[in-house]
Each structure stands twice: as structure tokens, then as C-alpha cells.
Amino acid sequence: MDSLLFILMLIGALGVSSQWIAWRFRMPAIVVMSVMGLLAGPILGIISPQEDLGSMYSPLISIAVGIILFEGSLNLDFREIKGLGKPIFRITTLGAFLAWIIGSLAAHYIADLSWAVAFVIGGIFIVTGPTVILPLLRQAKLKPRPAAILKWEGIIVDPFGALVAVFAFEFVKFVTMDTVTFATILAFLAGSLLGAAIGAFFGYGIGWMFENGYVPEFLKSPVVLASVVMAFALSDTVMHETGLLAVTVMGMTIANMHISSIGDMRHFKENISILLISVIFIMLTASLNRETLLSIFDWHIILFILIMLFVTRPLSIFLSTINTDLQFKEKLLVGWIAPRGIVALTVSGYFAGVLLEAGFDDAEILTSLTFGLVFATVVAHGFSLGWVARRLGLSTESKPGVLIVGSSKFSVNLAKVLEDLNIPVLISDSSWSRLSHARRLGVPYEHGEILSEQTDYQIDLTPYEYMIGLTEYDSYNTLVSSTFMPAFGREHLFQLPLQVNQGDHLEDVSKHISGRLLFEEGANWSALNEKINKGFLFKKTTITQKYTYNQFLKDLDSESVLLFILRKSGNIDFFTPKSEIRPEAGDTVVSLQKPVQN
């Protein structure tokens, strides 16, 4: 292709469409992007980004990887580490170190890589791919402890993989040079410290400016993005390959300043990172030539992948969790599940170029080696996690859960009905007195402010696919929906209809920031709780071939309210004022009905 604009458009379109297909059909995004990139590149020969983009290729990869690592390091709040249990702490420290050492030895002795390349790739492979593992956990429905271990391992170790690779590369490069002197080692340490200082300076500066109101809201995201690129470029100019260290330190600095706009910043960076990851992954896979692709089937690489799957990961987990309360079957599950993700491939693609420039010719197979491991782990772990968890008895086998914000007589009774139907449910409220309803009925609850930044590690959101705002304040329900829209998606966020005659008068609130309205027009907080006070009861009605939905509607009192349908599959469909959902035979309809008069 001669048109650079067309090539850039095609790369972006392939990346984003791959993400959409993966979401639509509940597939690992990395698998879809692999197929797309390989089809467009080495198989059909439509594009070859490395050749088509020329001198722009390496800088684009470098900056994108820097932004991706910055976004990952924004999640590393040290308060989260303090609250972790002994097994998670061990796995994210000793386990990561053991995985690096064992993986590097395997890369050297099995894949026949030089020590420099082996230790760099070993550092990258300690990352277990949070962009891959978190969606898998939602699908697999693991029990809380193994789910928490895999989740926090992915989040905490993610920023350190590239950091370990940077130090390994710089250290081994200096050690393997013919002219290693005290001055060169000192220059390496000074360059690394300067890179970290640049990152900390930019991070602290951004946080200070944001907290003191020196940057308006509409400029915050552009300022952060520009600052990440500046920190990366400045550090890399002072000493090559320290840019990644700078942006990682910058993200960690901002994360631990606990600034009020950190949530908005995370959401923006997540969106940018998804776009960059999609684009970079397509570029890397499409740039593979057929020879490199076929080299994946070399017995050295296949054996290395098998060693990583069946030796390195289980051994690092079992050794690091000695003398912890982790059960054997939990060790088996955690020792098996370690999908490497898109970040591993993008970072290894970056280091492949860097190592080749430094004269390490064996780095040429890094991309194919990483691609083979990433693809193998995503397929093997992605499609086996649920089965293995069930076989080990570590799967909850529960239906998609519901997180209810706001404790009242209606919401607590609704939660009780959901619990009786074996649906995971949790009520969150900042008022201890309002939670008395939940305590009285024995419904699971969380005392705290759902909008607090502490929520991320106080409440495990994994079991819950739906969030509904059931407080008496329309504005608060809308704020909750707006805040959690990136996490749940608008199709799974609900709130009560607005109270037109009282409350906040938000009838003109934008539909783009509010959740989907529940039940029916007029079924607001006051109306629903008034019905509970009048003795209205929650009824569960199973629709059959003989007792059809039409017959059920005929028997329903006009004051009754249709709430939701529990499908045979276990999914929940909430009734909304504009919904046209209909139950089928075998489905259960839950409604709030007027008590039968004697």
C-alpha cells in the first residue's frame, strides 16, 4: 500500500473492531487481534507496518508502550499492598522474583538465548496480563480468595515487568561490555536514578497542579498525556531505555498522592491504553514475516513455552507460598493460571528492537517467542479456567450478581429475594442506621461510601454484573451511574425513575450520564417504599407452557410492579419503562404485588 493515511486507518480499524468482536462474542481480545494482525500482515500481505511506517515505527511503539505502562502504574496504590494477605504479598514479591529467575534460566538453556536477552524476556514474562485476567475472572466466577490473588497479582506485578526488564537490560549490557569500568556502572546507576527523579518530578508536579486548581478540568487529560510523553522523551534522551522507568515512577507517584481527580484520570488513560494496545498489537503481529511466524514451531520455542506453563509458573507459586494458609487446590489453580497479555507482547516488541540495536542478534526471535507464549497461555488458561475451577471446587457456580446502592425497606427486601434465588447480592450504604434494614433480614451489606476511592479494594466487584442505584436522591443515583459506567457498562447500570414532585428535580438529566431507569414510570423511591409499608409482597412466578406470560399479566393487579425476569440461563433482565422483554417457559418473573384481601 502506498497511502500512509490508509495504512494508519486500517491499523486503527482492525484494532478497534477486534476489541468489539471480542466483547460481543465474549472472547479474549488478544486472540481476535492475533488473527486480524496475522491475516492483514504475513498471511495476506495487505500491510507491513514496520516497512510502511519506516522511521516512524519505533518511536510510535516506544511512546505507546510508555503510555500503557503509565496507565498500569496508576493502579499501584501502596495502601492496597498493606491490606493484602500473606499469600498475595508473597506471590507478588518472592513469587515474581522466582518467576523471573526460573524463566530467564529457561530462556537461556531451553530457548538458547544469550544471558542478556534471557534476563530481559524473563522480566517481561512475570507480568500476568491484568487486561486479560480480569475479564476471565468475571466469566469464571471463582471463589473470593483465588479470584483476589489472581486479580491483585495482575495489578501489582504489571508495572514491574517492564521495570525489571529495563534494569536487566542495562545491567547486563554494562556487564557484557568489554570496557566495563566503575565509571560506566556509576553512569548506569546515575542515569536510572535520574530517570526515576524525572518521573517523580512530573508526577508530583501534575498532582500538585491538579489539587491546587492550576489546571482546568477540560485540560487535565491533555496535560497528563503530554506530560507522560515529555517525561518519557526527556529521560530517554538522558539515557536510552530509562523512559519506561520514568513513566512508571510518574504513575506510581500520582497514584499515591491520592488526588481527587485520579478516577477521571484512570478512566481517560484506560480508554487511551485500550486504543494504543489495539493499534500496537495489530502493528506488531502484522509486521511478523512468515519465517518468524513459522519459527514459533521450532522445538526450542515449543519446549520453552511448555516449561513456562508447567514448570516455571507452578514452581514459583508453590515455593513462594510455603508456610502460608493457601490450600493445595488453591495453589494448583493459581499455579496454572497466568495468561500473558498484550502488554507483554508490546513491551517485548519494543525491547526486541532495542536489543537488536545493541548488537544482540538473538533478540530477533523475541517477538515470535513472546507471541507463542502469549497466544498459548491466553488460549490454554482462558478456555480452561472455568473447568479447572469447577473440578477443584473453587468455582461459586453462582448467577450474575447485583450490587445495590442504598439501603431502604424496598431495596433490602429486593436483595432478600435475589439472595433466595441464589443470586449474589450486596447492599452498599454510607449510613449505619439505614443499614439496620439489611442487618435485620440478614442480607449481605457493605458500610461505606461507594464513591470513595477506597471502594476499589474494599469491595470485590467481580461477582457483580449489575449495579442499581436505589437511594432516595436522584442526583446521587445519577452520580453513581456516571462513576461506574466504565466498570459495568450502561447496559448493566440501573437507577430508579426520577421523583418529579420532590427530591432533586432532575427530569432533564442527560441520558448519557444516568443509568437505565428501572421498572416503570412512577416507580420511584417514595412510591416503592410506600407500597412496602402498605404490605405489598414480592412474588416469584414461574412461566410455563400452560401458565403463559399473557395469562400472568391478566391476573396481575394494576397497582403491582414488574421487577425483573430470572432467565433459565441464570441471567437477569430488569423491567424498564421502555423495555419489551418477555419471559419464556421456564423463566421466573419477580413482581411487587398487592396483598390478597381476605
Side-chain angles (χ1 to χ4, degrees), residues 18 50 57 129 144 158 166 256 347 351 367 376 410 464:
S18 298
Q50 191 166 7
Y57 181 80
D158 179 44
V166 169
N256 288 278
V347 174
F351 273 106
T367 302
F410 170 77
Y464 310 108

Side-chain angles (χ1 to χ4, degrees), residues 178-200:
D178 295 331
T179 57
V180 174
T181 63
F182 179 75
T184 57
I185 296 176
L186 191 63
F188 161 63
L189 295 175
S192 300
L193 289 174
L194 184 59
I198 290 173

Side-chain angles (χ1 to χ4, degrees), residues 155-219:
I155 290 174
I156 293 171
V157 178
D158 179 44
F160 290 127
L163 204 56
V164 170
V166 169
F167 278 112
F169 169 68
E170 293 294 342
F171 182 75
V172 175
K173 186 176 71 172
F174 277 117
V175 171
T176 55
M177 289 171 59
D178 295 331
T179 57
V180 174
T181 63
F182 179 75
T184 57
I185 296 176
L186 191 63
F188 161 63
L189 295 175
S192 300
L193 289 174
L194 184 59
I198 290 173
F201 173 78
F202 272 89
Y204 182 80
I206 288 290
W208 180 80
M209 291 174 66
F210 281 14
E211 285 297 272
N212 289 277
Y214 291 113
V215 180
E217 289 296 324
F218 74 95
L219 274 182

Side-chain angles (χ1 to χ4, degrees), residues 184-327:
T184 57
I185 296 176
L186 191 63
F188 161 63
L189 295 175
S192 300
L193 289 174
L194 184 59
I198 290 173
F201 173 78
F202 272 89
Y204 182 80
I206 288 290
W208 180 80
M209 291 174 66
F210 281 14
E211 285 297 272
N212 289 277
Y214 291 113
V215 180
E217 289 296 324
F218 74 95
L219 274 182
K220 284 186 176 180
S221 294
V223 166
V224 171
L225 187 59
S227 299
V228 172
V229 176
M230 288 173 61
F232 179 88
L234 286 175
S235 183
D236 210 58
T237 301
V238 173
M239 182 176 180
H240 286 303
E241 284 71 66
T242 58
L244 299 181
L245 171 61
V247 295
T248 302
V249 172
M250 179 180 173
M252 291 168 57
T253 301
I254 294 175
N256 288 278
M257 290 182 70
H258 312 132
I259 61 177
S260 57
S261 53
I262 187 70
D264 295 336
M265 195 185 304
R266 280 199 186 112
H267 294 157
F268 170 75
K269 301 306 294 180
E270 285 170 2
N271 293 336
I272 291 293
S273 292
I274 288 173
L275 177 61
L276 290 175
I277 284 172
S278 305
V279 169
I280 298 306
F281 196 83
I282 294 294
M283 289 173 60
L284 289 171
T285 51
S287 294
L288 293 172
N289 55 48
R290 295 183 182 180
E291 291 74 22
T292 304
L293 193 59
L294 290 174
S295 69
I296 295 175
F297 299 99
D298 181 270
W299 74 269
H300 289 95
I301 293 182
I302 293 175
L303 183 58
F304 171 76
I305 292 172
L306 293 175
I307 293 292
M308 293 295 289
L309 282 170
F310 296 102
V311 178
T312 302
R313 173 66 177 182
L315 192 59
S316 65
I317 293 300
F318 274 85
L319 289 177
S320 63
T321 55
I322 292 175
N323 293 328
T324 66
D325 60 348
L326 209 61
Q327 298 177 8

Side-chain angles (χ1 to χ4, degrees), residues 9-25:
M9 178 277 295
L10 186 59
I11 291 172
L14 289 174
V16 174
S17 61
S18 298
Q19 292 278 4
W20 183 86
I21 292 171
W23 164 80
R24 182 67 180 81
F25 297 100

